[in-house]
Amino acid sequence: MVNDPQGLVVTDALHSLGYPEVLGTRVGKYIRLELAADLESTAAKRVDEMCRRLLCNGVIEDYSFEIAAGMS
Amino acid sequence: MAFRFGIAVFPGTWSDRDCAHAVGLTGAEAVFLWHADKELKGADCVILPGGFAHGDYLRAGAIARFAPLMEAVAEHARGGGLVLGICNGFQILCEAGLLPGALLRNRDLQFRCQDTTLLVEPTDSPFLATIASGSRLRIPISHGEGRYFADPATLAGLERGHQVALRYCSPDGDLDDAHNPNGSLSHIAGIVNEAGNVLGMMPHPERVCEPLLGSEDGLRLFGSVTTGLAAAGR
């Protein structure tokens, strides 16, 4: 697994605040996309492609996404 | 005809003028290449300089790699043309897949701007043609995201092919943790592609090209490109 120095610092901070149960932290990114699509399956296919091509660097990052309808 | 360096300029690039100045000291010509153009203007070697192209938004180099200019740079590289990525330029080359691996946040999460000593490895590349392996170069770094990372198989391939060109070391040439400023895997400061025509490095050679600046080691690198190519008869 790729070393995440930000996660290590956050773990230390949580320990010092009295949360010894925290075994590990990983800091990542949350990206919210708004898109026009008729079908959820079409949206999923397109978003997956966007993740692979731009939003995520497969060398160092993993991704997952959820699709929710009717935001606008 | 004078050797010509093409220096890429993205929104947020700041080391372009320094690179042009350094290149001028070698007697070579420098032309600027705008990111939105697809034209390399006859450059023999393309430099992707340091800076924060497109604000480093999303990830350093992630947006810049899709610039129209990068299509021409990739084609140039595929044809054996020389490409030098410095700092942000190294990050762009990795994002573009022209070099393997990625550059992560520094181990201590701090932006590091300091002198470093680099060990020159036995790498077959025009960028190091006139610099003996085992030499040490004094060149500064200036980055927040320079910790080189690659998966074990990729790293093994780099080592086997002598593609690790530069490593952070102590002034005596020792590879110890105290002289690895960002926590890079295997002390990696710079790598080349398999053919050796693409070099990515985090340190800034353009900043040390005059005695007044404390070192001329950067000039050795730029000079190697021009004389190395002449020696190869290209």
Side-chain angles (χ1 to χ4, degrees), chain A residues 1-6 9 29 31 53-57 59-61, chain B residues 58-59 62-63 65-66 95 101-102 104-107 109 147 149-150:
Chain A
M1 195 186 283
V2 180
N3 179 30
D4 174 20
Q6 278 194 86
V9 171
K29 285 194 188 91
I31 298 173
R53 293 186 65 197
L54 174 68
L55 302 178
C56 173
N57 179 341
V59 176
I60 46 173
E61 297 168 322
Chain B
L58 194 60
R59 293 179 307 279
I63 310 288
R65 67 152 291 198
F66 290 108
E95 281 284 343
L104 294 166
R105 284 285 292 277
N106 292 348
R107 177 180 46 196
L109 303 175
R147 179 165 54 100
F149 173 84

Side-chain angles (χ1 to χ4, degrees), chain B residues 117-187:
Chain B
T117 306
L118 306 174
L119 181 66
V120 177
E121 294 285 3
T123 298
D124 187 15
S125 167
F127 292 102
L128 300 170
T130 62
I131 307 173
S133 72
S135 301
R136 292 188 290 279
L137 304 175
R138 192 103 179 120
I139 297 179
I141 55 163
S142 176
H143 62 245
E145 298 181 345
R147 179 165 54 100
Y148 184 78
F149 173 84
D151 62 68
T154 303
L155 179 66
L158 287 173
E159 298 283 9
R160 205 167 41 240
H162 297 290
Q163 287 174 251
V164 178
L166 302 164
R167 291 186 214 263
Y168 301 109
C169 68
S170 75
D172 295 325
D174 298 324
L175 300 175
D176 54 32
D177 214 38
H179 293 92
N180 184 349
N182 52 26
S184 281
L185 205 59
S186 301
H187 302 255

Side-chain angles (χ1 to χ4, degrees), chain A residues 8 10 12 16 18 21 25 27 37 41-42 47 59 61 64:
Chain A
L8 297 176
V10 172
D12 283 350
S16 68
E21 70 268 37
T25 313
V27 176
S41 58
T42 313
V47 170
V59 176
E61 297 168 322
S64 61

Side-chain angles (χ1 to χ4, degrees), chain B:
Chain B
M1 215 169 75
F3 189 93
R4 182 179 291 181
F5 285 89
I7 300 169
V9 184
F10 298 89
T13 298
W14 51 243
S15 205
D16 44 334
R17 303 268 161 178
D18 286 1
C19 283
H21 179 73
V23 159
L25 294 172
T26 69
E29 191 185 344
V31 290
F32 292 107
L33 309 174
W34 184 236
H35 73 106
D37 295 336
K38 287 187 179 175
E39 172 58 48
L40 298 186
K41 297 181 182 173
D44 299 296
C45 176
V46 175
I47 297 178
L48 304 179
F52 296 86
H54 296 279
D56 275 0
Y57 295 156
L58 194 60
R59 293 179 307 279
I63 310 288
R65 67 152 291 198
F66 290 108
L69 181 68
M70 287 306 294
E71 287 176 36
V73 171
E75 199 182 305
H76 178 70
R78 277 195 297 270
L82 296 172
V83 180
L84 169 60
I86 300 167
C87 196
N88 195 213
F90 186 11
Q91 295 163 337
I92 295 170
L93 288 174
C94 286
E95 281 284 343
L98 291 172
L99 288 175
L103 284 314
L104 294 166
R105 284 285 292 277
N106 292 348
R107 177 180 46 196
D108 58 12
L109 303 175
Q110 292 175 344
F111 188 98
R112 289 296 193 102
C113 185
Q114 65 188 63
D115 276 333
T116 59
T117 306
L118 306 174
L119 181 66
V120 177
E121 294 285 3
T123 298
D124 187 15
S125 167
F127 292 102
L128 300 170
T130 62
I131 307 173
S133 72
S135 301
R136 292 188 290 279
L137 304 175
R138 192 103 179 120
I139 297 179
I141 55 163
S142 176
H143 62 245
E145 298 181 345
R147 179 165 54 100
Y148 184 78
F149 173 84
D151 62 68
T154 303
L155 179 66
L158 287 173
E159 298 283 9
R160 205 167 41 240
H162 297 290
Q163 287 174 251
V164 178
L166 302 164
R167 291 186 214 263
Y168 301 109
C169 68
S170 75
D172 295 325
D174 298 324
L175 300 175
D176 54 32
D177 214 38
H179 293 92
N180 184 349
N182 52 26
S184 281
L185 205 59
S186 301
H187 302 255
I188 289 173
I191 57 169
V192 297
N193 62 345
E194 278 184 40
N197 60 309
V198 178
L199 168 66
M201 60 187 290
M202 288 311 294
H204 287 272
E206 77 280 9
R207 290 191 183 180
V208 279
C209 292
E210 292 174 78
L212 185 65
L213 300 174
S215 165
E216 291 181 285
D217 286 354
L219 204 54
R220 294 175 65 189
L221 212 138
F222 290 110
S224 180
V225 180
T226 54
T227 53
L229 264 202
R234 275 188 263 179

